[in-house]
Coordinates of all heavy atoms in Angstrom, one line a residue:
C111 N -10.7 18.1 20.3 CA -11.4 16.9 19.8 C -10.6 16.4 18.6 O -10.0 17.1 17.8 CB -12.8 17.2 19.4 SG -13.7 15.7 18.9
C112 N -10.6 15.0 18.4 CA -10.0 14.4 17.2 C -10.6 14.8 15.9 O -10.0 14.6 14.9 CB -10.1 12.9 17.3 SG -9.2 12.2 18.7
D113 N -11.8 15.3 16.0 CA -12.6 15.7 14.8 C -11.7 16.4 13.7 O -11.0 17.4 14.1 CB -13.7 16.6 15.2 CG -14.8 16.7 14.1 OD1 -14.4 17.2 13.0 OD2 -15.9 16.4 14.3
R115 N -12.3 18.4 11.5 CA -12.6 19.8 11.2 C -12.2 20.9 12.2 O -12.4 22.0 12.0 CB -14.2 19.9 11.1 CG -14.8 18.9 10.0 CD -16.3 18.8 10.2 NE -16.6 18.1 11.5 CZ -17.8 17.8 11.9 NH1 -18.9 18.1 11.1 NH2 -18.0 17.2 13.0
V116 N -11.6 20.4 13.3 CA -11.3 21.4 14.4 C -9.9 21.4 14.8 O -9.5 21.3 16.0 CB -12.3 21.1 15.6 CG1 -13.7 21.4 15.2 CG2 -12.2 19.7 16.1
N134 N -8.5 14.3 21.7 CA -9.1 13.0 22.0 C -10.6 13.1 21.6 O -11.1 14.2 21.3 CB -8.9 12.5 23.4 CG -9.5 13.5 24.4 OD1 -10.7 13.9 24.3 ND2 -8.7 14.0 25.4
V135 N -11.3 12.0 21.6 CA -12.7 12.1 21.2 C -13.5 13.0 22.2 O -13.5 12.7 23.4 CB -13.3 10.7 21.2 CG1 -14.8 10.7 20.9 CG2 -12.6 9.8 20.1
A136 N -14.0 14.1 21.7 CA -14.9 15.0 22.5 C -14.1 15.8 23.5 O -14.7 16.3 24.5 CB -16.1 14.3 23.1
N137 N -12.8 16.0 23.3 CA -12.0 16.9 24.1 C -12.3 16.8 25.6 O -12.7 17.7 26.3 CB -12.2 18.4 23.7 CG -13.6 18.8 23.3 OD1 -14.0 18.7 22.2 ND2 -14.3 19.3 24.3
H172 N -16.5 21.9 20.3 CA -17.0 22.3 19.0 C -18.4 21.9 18.7 O -18.9 20.9 19.4 CB -16.0 21.8 17.9 CG -16.1 20.3 17.7 ND1 -16.8 19.8 16.6 CD2 -15.6 19.3 18.4 CE1 -16.7 18.4 16.7 NE2 -15.9 18.1 17.7
A173 N -19.0 22.5 17.8 CA -20.4 22.2 17.4 C -20.3 20.9 16.5 O -19.3 20.5 16.0 CB -21.0 23.3 16.5
H174 N -21.5 20.2 16.5 CA -21.6 19.0 15.7 C -20.6 17.9 16.2 O -20.0 17.2 15.3 CB -21.5 19.2 14.2 CG -22.3 20.4 13.7 ND1 -23.7 20.3 13.7 CD2 -22.0 21.6 13.3 CE1 -24.2 21.4 13.2 NE2 -23.2 22.3 13.0
C175 N -20.3 17.8 17.5 CA -19.3 16.8 17.9 C -20.0 15.4 17.9 O -21.0 15.2 18.6 CB -18.9 17.2 19.4 SG -17.6 16.0 19.9
G176 N -19.4 14.6 17.1 CA -20.0 13.2 16.9 C -19.9 12.4 18.2 O -20.9 11.6 18.5
G177 N -18.9 12.6 19.0 CA -18.8 11.9 20.3 C -19.9 12.2 21.2 O -20.6 11.4 21.8
I178 N -20.2 13.5 21.3 CA -21.3 14.0 22.2 C -22.6 13.6 21.7 O -23.5 13.1 22.5 CB -21.2 15.5 22.4 CG1 -19.8 15.9 23.0 CG2 -22.4 16.1 23.1 CD1 -19.8 16.8 24.1
Ligands
ZN52 ZN1 -15.8 16.3 18.6

Side-chain angles (χ1 to χ4, degrees):
C111 183
C112 293
D113 192 304
R115 301 165 294 182
V116 294
N134 61 53
V135 175
N137 43 272
H172 69 101
H174 310 290
C175 184
I178 299 229

